[in-house]
Amino acid sequence: MTIMPKIFFYTTSHEGPPEGAYFQDLIVNLATGFKHLGIEYHASNDYWQIAPGCDRSLLEFSPEISHHDCDIVVLERQYYEENRCLPEDLFTPSRQYKTVYLDCSDGIQTFSWLPEFRQFDFIFKTHYNHRTKYPSNVYPWAFGLSERVIQELKIETPWIEKEKSLLVNFRHRKFSHSLRRFINKSFISPAQDYFTIDKSADDLNLPPKDPYHYLRWSQTGRRHYPNYYQRLTKAQGCACFGGYFLAPWFTDYHPKISYYLAWLISEMGLKTKRIGQWDSWRFWESLAAGCVTFHIDFEKYGFQLPVMPENWRHYIGIDLDNISASIERIKRQPELLEEIALEGRTWAINNYGPQATALRFLKTVSNMKYSDINPILVAMNQEQ
């Protein structure tokens, strides 16, 4: 009989106000998956209130359980941001547990490049690009799909009822993503020959009135908007481009130089073969909504996920050197759009929903095989 591992999560001590919430989405997804699988887990603090007016959280502090009592210890970047140090006694020489750091930080050189992070057994990084030289314990990961998002997008709108629109609602900051600036000129404008461009967006300062949605809006740092999810389900397509064109890889070791060159590339309207910070919640939300999800070609630009999507099957990946070819193919074969939307939705939920993500985590960290986990899945299916 296989003994299931016991997990310990280090979380932040408070969720914070909506405008500065410590949104630990990767931890929430894993904990949700473990809960569905019946895997025992504990946390250093209560986190992610289940519902308005409820005193229970998805992750709860157990005073009698510490990380020394568990088999796998996990923390996300927000813990280090709040505390500016790693948990005490995390890397004791006699430890029997595995250590995992979830790195969803922006930029190339993140906290996980610091010398003390070489002690982690695994660092799972979103935005992974195989054209970047990472430390040896860094592996590709993804934002993936949370139960919260899947719940909001669970009702599929039949393709025939969808609007022939492309949703474009990027968040623009002082130093906006250079890929988005490039795409706005080179792809969004000519895409108007086929799609109606929908640039409607929600006001960050207007919270939802419904108590449940207000709670999720607060917890996610103002990233939960029911109207946005409704627009997604009604649109045929969504522009999910994001990231910065990067200078040659050797500049990665000099953060200030790397940042300045990325800014300069953006200001000059240039493009390069390397792009960082490309993963986003929007990409996964679009897939789950059954939209045709537009990004750039993952394979061509070095993007790497644990399970890769297939271009023109699960999403449409634009080749920045030949953008017109993609637009012409859409005009020539419009029937492909519905197929890609359906395939993309199924692929995303099957491979990056909380349960699939938790299973992948266990296989990687604990060297568990499907033969070990299969009895759990059989039991779950019998209960349902």
Side-chain angles (χ1 to χ4, degrees):
M1 178 179 178
T2 301
I3 299 176
M4 293 295 108
K6 186 188 299 184
I7 319 295
F8 190 90
F9 289 102
Y10 271 100
T11 66
T12 58
S13 60
H14 67 282
E15 294 188 20
E19 63 274 13
Y22 282 109
F23 181 27
Q24 300 165 96
D25 193 46
L26 301 188
I27 280 181
V28 169
N29 290 355
L30 281 176
T32 303
F34 293 146
K35 182 178 181 180
H36 289 321
L37 293 171
I39 303 293
E40 182 180 351
Y41 64 88
H42 302 271
S44 61
N45 296 283
D46 293 345
Y47 179 68
W48 200 258
Q49 183 181 344
I50 292 175
C54 177
D55 60 0
R56 297 295 305 275
S57 299
L58 173 66
L59 295 111
E60 295 183 330
F61 170 63
S62 303
E64 70 280 4
I65 300 292
S66 76
H67 70 257
H68 294 290
D69 303 306
C70 297
D71 304 296
I72 303 173
V73 183
V74 185
L75 63 147
E76 196 172 334
R77 68 173 175 88
Q78 287 85 351
Y79 180 91
Y80 195 84
E81 287 178 354
E82 181 184 53
N83 297 281
R84 291 294 164 172
C85 66
L86 296 171
E88 187 178 357
D89 296 330
L90 182 62
F91 300 111
T92 55
S94 59
R95 67 183 174 98
Q96 298 297 310
Y97 49 81
K98 298 287 183 66
T99 53
V100 181
Y101 179 69
L102 303 173
D103 182 0
C104 57
S105 296
D106 298 337
I108 298 297
Q109 278 209 30
T110 61
F111 294 136
S112 62
W113 287 55
L114 295 173
E116 56 266 38
F117 282 75
R118 301 288 67 73
Q119 300 173 89
F120 278 95
D121 295 296
F122 298 91
I123 293 177
F124 292 144
K125 178 166 180 54
T126 62
H127 306 303
Y128 195 101
N129 191 311
H130 66 68
R131 291 179 183 156
T132 296
K133 294 190 177 182
Y134 299 102
S136 60
N137 58 343
V138 177
Y139 300 85
W141 203 244
F143 282 114
L145 283 169
S146 65
E147 190 172 59
R148 170 184 64 87
V149 170
I150 293 174
Q151 177 67 23
E152 292 301 315
L153 301 172
K154 67 179 180 180
I155 299 177
E156 281 190 87
T157 301
W159 186 259
I160 196 171
E161 297 177 14
K162 286 180 176 284
E163 299 169 1
K164 194 176 178 181
S165 62
L166 179 67
L167 193 60
V168 183
N169 63 338
F170 303 135
R171 285 189 180 191
H172 291 287
R173 292 183 169 86
K174 185 176 180 180
F175 179 16
S176 62
H177 288 205
S178 51
L179 175 60
R180 290 175 181 170
R181 294 177 66 173
F182 187 90
I183 281 293
N184 270 327
K185 296 179 181 178
S186 60
F187 174 76
I188 302 301
S189 294
Q192 294 180 91
D193 291 344
Y194 186 86
F195 292 106
T196 299
I197 305 301
D198 180 0
K199 292 190 176 183
S200 55
D202 296 277
D203 188 336
L204 292 177
N205 298 310
L206 292 178
K209 295 181 180 180
D210 176 83
Y212 168 80
H213 291 302
Y214 178 81
L215 174 64
R216 296 296 184 243
W217 177 83
S218 300
Q219 291 173 314
T220 60
R222 303 182 299 176
R223 293 181 177 89
H224 179 94
Y225 292 93
N227 291 336
Y228 162 63
Y229 296 123
Q230 290 176 13
R231 291 197 300 273
L232 269 178
T233 60
K234 294 177 181 178
Q236 285 190 0
C238 181
C240 302
F241 305 94
Y244 297 92
F245 291 114
L246 302 175
W249 67 267
F250 54 82
T251 65
D252 297 345
Y253 298 96
H254 306 278
K256 290 184 179 179
I257 295 175
S258 177
Y259 178 87
Y260 174 74
L261 289 177
W263 173 84
L264 188 62
I265 289 168
S266 178
E267 289 299 302
M268 296 178 68
L270 304 176
K271 62 182 173 68
T272 67
K273 296 296 184 182
R274 288 201 317 144
I275 296 173
Q277 202 175 320
W278 54 268
D279 199 359
S280 69
W281 285 293
R282 181 182 288 102
F283 176 76
W284 301 100
E285 291 162 346
S286 173
L287 288 166
C291 290
V292 177
T293 301
F294 289 88
H295 208 314
I296 59 174
D297 189 329
F298 281 25
E299 297 282 353
K300 176 169 181 175
Y301 295 96
F303 300 174
Q304 192 165 339
L305 296 170
V307 179
M308 291 290 288
E310 184 178 330
N311 195 2
W312 287 96
R313 180 182 176 190
H314 304 123
Y315 77 113
I316 294 180
I318 304 299
D319 179 350
L320 298 180
D321 294 323
N322 194 5
I323 293 175
S324 60
S326 297
I327 295 174
E328 290 306 314
R329 185 173 180 181
I330 291 169
K331 294 178 181 178
R332 190 172 63 253
Q333 298 176 282
E335 70 280 359
L336 285 178
L337 297 181
E338 181 178 3
E339 297 173 15
I340 293 170
L342 294 174
E343 287 272 2
R345 186 176 194 272
T346 300
W347 173 84
I349 293 174
N350 287 349
N351 288 285
Y352 287 97
Q355 185 172 306
T357 299
L359 287 172
R360 184 179 301 113
F361 179 94
L362 292 175
K363 284 183 62 185
T364 304
V365 176
S366 296
N367 295 318
M368 294 181 68
K369 301 176 181 178
Y370 276 122
S371 58
D372 298 326
I373 300 171
N374 190 55
I376 302 176
L377 300 180
V378 171
M380 287 177 57
N381 291 331
Q382 290 175 345
E383 291 175 2
Q384 294 174 354

